Amino acid sequence: MPQPEPRDTAKMPQRVKTAALVSSGRHPVSGRAGRAREDARAVEMGLSLVGADLSLAHAGDPEQASLRESLQGYLGMYHGLDDDRDGQLSLLPLGEGGDAVPLLAAWLERSGVRLALTGQRAECGEGSGMVGYLLAERLGWAIATGVAAIEHCDGERVTVLQALPQGQRRRLEVRLPCLIAVDAVAEAPRQSAFGPARRGRIDIVDDLLPPDESPLDADSADWHWQPARARPKRLKVVKSTNARDRFKAAAAKSSASGGQVLTDLSPEEAAEKLIDYLRAEKILAQDDQ
Amino acid sequence: MLQTLLPILIFAALAVGAAGAVRRIRLWRQGQRTPMRWYRLVLMPKRYLNDLHHVVARDKAIAHTHVATAGGFVAAMALALVVHGFGWRNPILGGLLLAASLCMFIGALAVNRRRIDPSAKLSKGPWQRLSKSLLAYSVGMFLVSLPLVGVAPTLLGGGVLAIVLSAVLVWGLLEMVVGMGWGGPMKHAFAGSFHLAFHRRPERFDDNHADAVHDVHRGSRSTALFPLDLTAKTLGVEKPADFQWEQLLGFDACVQCGRCQNVCPAYAAGQPLNPKKLIQDMVVGMAGGNDARYAGSGYPGIEVGKHHGGPNAPIVPQLVEAQTLWACTTCRACVEECPMMIEHVDAIVDMRRFITLEKGETPEKGAAAIDNLIATDNPGGLDNASRLDWAADLEMPRIQDRPEGVDVLLWLGDGAFDMRNQRTLRALVKILRAGGVDFAVLGDEERDSGDVARRLGDEATFQRLAERNIATLSRYRFARIVTADPHSFHVLGREYGAFGGDYRVLHHSTFIAELFDGGRISVEAPAQAETVTYHDPCYLGRYNGEFAAPRQVLAALGLEVAEMERSGYRSRCCGGGGGAALSDVPGKARIPDMRMEDVRETGATTVAVACPQCTAMLEGVVEPRPRILDIAEMVAAALVEPATASTTRTSTEAPEEVPA
């Protein structure tokens, strides 16, 4: 695959209403709440795209003590922009066992957002990485995941660089409205400063859904929860004896074997091929239609 | 003719000078106001004659010069006012006036001699002119006063000579009186007097402080940073008008003598900082304009004349580049040397506070350290529970198991995470055990003292750490805190007081000296004679006045200390303080390399240190170089352990003390 040439990140000529969906992070060492690393990168991407026009949203429990502090961490990033407006975050109240997706979808629709940025997966809670997909499905939007940078956005479509393994990048053009899930390799977030964090506004928006439509996550009620166990790591056996081979092994692109590239197929044919493949890999049962 | 002209000239000069002075006072009062305490004006003469002179007198020649010139001028001006101004032409007063002018003339000659080939630290321009003006004033005043004692009465009655004399005197009056109010070099006398009276740190002067111990070293009487009100509208200093008015007044008092420039480690290393230029830039900002008229050395690598400012214009980057502020190691050498008692470090931290708290532009590594402090309570982002990993085999007594209290709480500091400093800590523990000291540690309940966060301008994180540490400490009972880290020592001992934490804190060198004094530890004489030198850490010496104890310990070890040229209160910084090691501003040389050069000059093969930062910075100098040992390591190596219960106790009793 040809490596795309990096282009200058262009500011939007006409501003598209942009929002970043943020979550409360969990520090890998201390477990303390704070900015989530990928979400902070999404906010950084949004700020460099639309400046202080970027609005933030979080669905969570306003009563939770540490939440305000982590959310202020994102508001503290509103500095060094063209104008010195303070940040604003909409807090969508969500109780325990609630489902964030309908709330976020309603908020995105109501506020006229056409470009939503978020991290790929939360650092605590379910952390399933599904919220982006579920939101896009519900809203009928496009979704691009693993995004390393936004190169261009013109009100109709957005050009992004998608991060692939071994530092490869793929340029994608996505139609608006769309949801972009930001990868950990995106530009590092700016420092969160105490002053802007203190001045930023957190507005509670609690009239998004009609009262009879409670955003309960029905599935999760039946789930069995237990602390995650560290996955055993495969020991890395270094077979080569010289540095050159080790370097080549480390830098090698993952080579897929046995695959085939299919082009110029009708959608039906393509679907047929995919189903055959999934059956061959025993992902679909033989009799599954 | 002169008899009618003189009163007019003198009163006109005084009136114009006074108008300028009013304007100057208005400039100072642009700063943040604090309640005026007028009575402090009374304190000024004593502060001038005692405290200021104490600093000036470190250079005897200039002290004598200044006494002659300034004393002569003040006396001559007062007498001239009576004699020529009000016309009380008494021959005795006239004689005194002649004597005063003569005294000033002699002083002015010395000033001119210093100005023939001025050293790099001195400013030129108007300051070069001042030396001539001093001559003009003293000569003019002398000659016009000669008729008073009956010498040459007819000569000066009129004619060309009278005109020439008047012209010389007018020159002198313009510089000395008008210039004093309107911002000429003589401004320093006017602003300096008020600055001494209204100084923001009255504890620096003899008055108003009960703690006589600090008299040993004047510079360390008041060194804690001022707490910042985190609910203020903007945090820190963005523009000159955000400074306290006393600070603006202090900047205006600068005489541009360049002593600060001579001692600044960042300036010497070619980093873009010059304390003298910084203070002059603050004056430019306060008065509005650009720095083109500055006639001294600039910031290394930054051209003079390209920056401008105003009282309500942001300082960074129009007036001062951020790099300048981040180059400071907060070593306080400039404050120590300043004869006008200007507080450079306060100003730099004030401006850093704005950059960090409002603009979020702390240098990259500094910002990472702050984020780590917020998340993990230590700047390295390490698991705080691993704070005692280095002591896994030492069975360290925990204060949590000692509800009845201990004598010494051993504060580990963040050196506990550094493998080099862990050797020092192990040595210190060995000494404490040999001395039978009743001590304990906080373990993972200890957090960073907040020193680096505070110096990087993050007062919010500092205050949070301070409050949490104070809350932790309030749960346990101990008589005193001992630490091997001068930064923790300073912050716990001097800066936590403002947040309700008052402790008796000792640096380990002081405590070890105490153990020697009490005969609680004994050491063997060194096997072979060795020359050592001692590097004073800034936060132990200049900040807290502890110069004696480490030397006492070295003497007790039987070691000969070859002092470096810059030692004691003039010690040169290692380059690791104030977050400078994190901001890492590029320069031409490295500060620790220069310090190691100082060490080499003494011929010492070992440099004794007493601070984890200094250890790290000096050990970063490439080999071959003298070896670097902490005082604790040197003591521990020479320790003769008496076969008492102190060592056996730890192996028998301790396992029960250690929590599971």
Side-chain angles (χ1 to χ4, degrees), chain B residues 500-653:
Chain B
D502 287 301
Y503 313 106
R504 200 166 152 238
V505 190
L506 296 177
H507 184 249
H508 72 311
S509 61
T510 318
F511 190 74
I512 294 170
E514 209 175 90
L515 291 180
F516 273 118
D517 281 348
R520 291 168 73 181
I521 49 172
S522 45
V523 288
E524 56 190 1
Q528 59 201 57
E530 194 195 354
T531 322
V532 301
T533 188
Y534 170 65
H535 165 74
D536 287 273
C538 309
Y539 278 76
L540 182 63
R542 264 192 298 276
Y543 272 80
N544 289 286
E546 184 59 278
F547 304 108
R551 291 178 168 82
Q552 232 171 295
V553 171
L554 292 173
L557 287 172
L559 292 166
E560 200 72 44
V561 179
E563 291 288 356
M564 285 180 265
E565 193 193 326
R566 285 179 63 175
S567 65
Y569 69 83
R570 276 190 164 149
S571 171
R572 195 210 292 260
C573 178
C574 70
L582 293 167
S583 45
D584 200 19
V585 176
K588 289 193 176 64
R590 289 181 72 250
I591 296 174
D593 287 351
M594 296 190 302
R595 188 56 173 162
M596 194 52 81
E597 220 30 67
D598 294 350
V599 173
R600 286 196 182 107
E601 273 170 24
T602 65
T605 46
T606 298
V607 50
V609 289
C611 168
Q613 288 283 357
C614 300
T615 314
M617 296 305 283
L618 293 176
E619 284 213 328
V621 177
V622 286
E623 304 247 19
R625 51 153 168 71
R627 120 190 119 125
I628 292 119
L629 283 178
D630 193 276
I631 291 222
E633 291 178 287
M634 298 171 87
V635 174
L639 218 48
V640 184
E641 285 192 58
T644 55
S646 63
T647 44
T648 50
R649 195 196 68 180
T650 51
S651 53
T652 54
E653 291 177 18

Side-chain angles (χ1 to χ4, degrees), chain A residues 7-70:
Chain A
R7 286 186 205 158
D8 284 341
T9 305
K11 289 237 168 167
M12 272 189 238
Q14 71 206 69
R15 295 214 156 169
V16 175
K17 177 84 177 145
T18 305
L21 310 179
V22 296
S23 64
S24 179
R26 186 174 184 283
H27 193 271
V29 173
S30 68
R32 267 185 217 166
R35 290 187 290 174
R37 276 145 294 157
E38 283 181 355
D39 289 347
R41 283 173 160 78
V43 174
E44 175 63 42
M45 200 176 271
L47 287 175
S48 45
L49 196 66
V50 295
D53 283 335
L54 180 77
S55 46
L56 305 178
H58 170 80
D61 183 2
E63 304 298 316
Q64 202 189 322
S66 62
L67 182 63
R68 182 160 286 267
E69 206 167 316
S70 358

Side-chain angles (χ1 to χ4, degrees), chain B residues 464-496:
Chain B
R464 187 162 35 198
L465 287 167
E467 280 157 16
R468 290 180 184 174
N469 275 325
I470 290 169
T472 304
L473 289 170
S474 70
R475 290 205 304 275
Y476 302 110
R477 296 174 63 188
F478 50 88
R480 48 202 174 156
I481 300 173
V482 170
T483 177
D485 176 10
H487 295 265
S488 304
F489 166 60
H490 172 72
V491 171
L492 262 67
R494 293 207 127 180
E495 301 198 334
Y496 275 13

Side-chain angles (χ1 to χ4, degrees), chain A residues 201-225:
Chain A
R201 242 175 43 238
I202 296 180
D203 299 327
I204 294 187
V205 184
D206 53 5
D207 56 346
L208 281 168
L209 295 178
D212 54 315
E213 194 179 323
S214 76
L216 255 185
D217 188 352
D219 295 341
S220 74
D222 305 332
W223 291 356
H224 171 67
W225 291 84

Side-chain angles (χ1 to χ4, degrees), chain A residues 93-113:
Chain A
L94 182 69
E96 186 136 346
D99 186 0
V101 173
L103 272 176
L104 289 170
W107 180 81
L108 285 171
E109 274 187 327
R110 179 196 283 187
S111 36
V113 170

Side-chain angles (χ1 to χ4, degrees), chain B residues 323-344:
Chain B
Q323 291 285 288
T324 296
L325 301 178
W326 294 116
C328 176
T329 67
T330 70
C331 75
R332 234 183 130 75
C334 48
V335 185
E336 179 75 45
E337 286 299 314
C338 181
M340 298 306 280
M341 314 254 167
I342 297 169
E343 295 281 347
H344 313 64

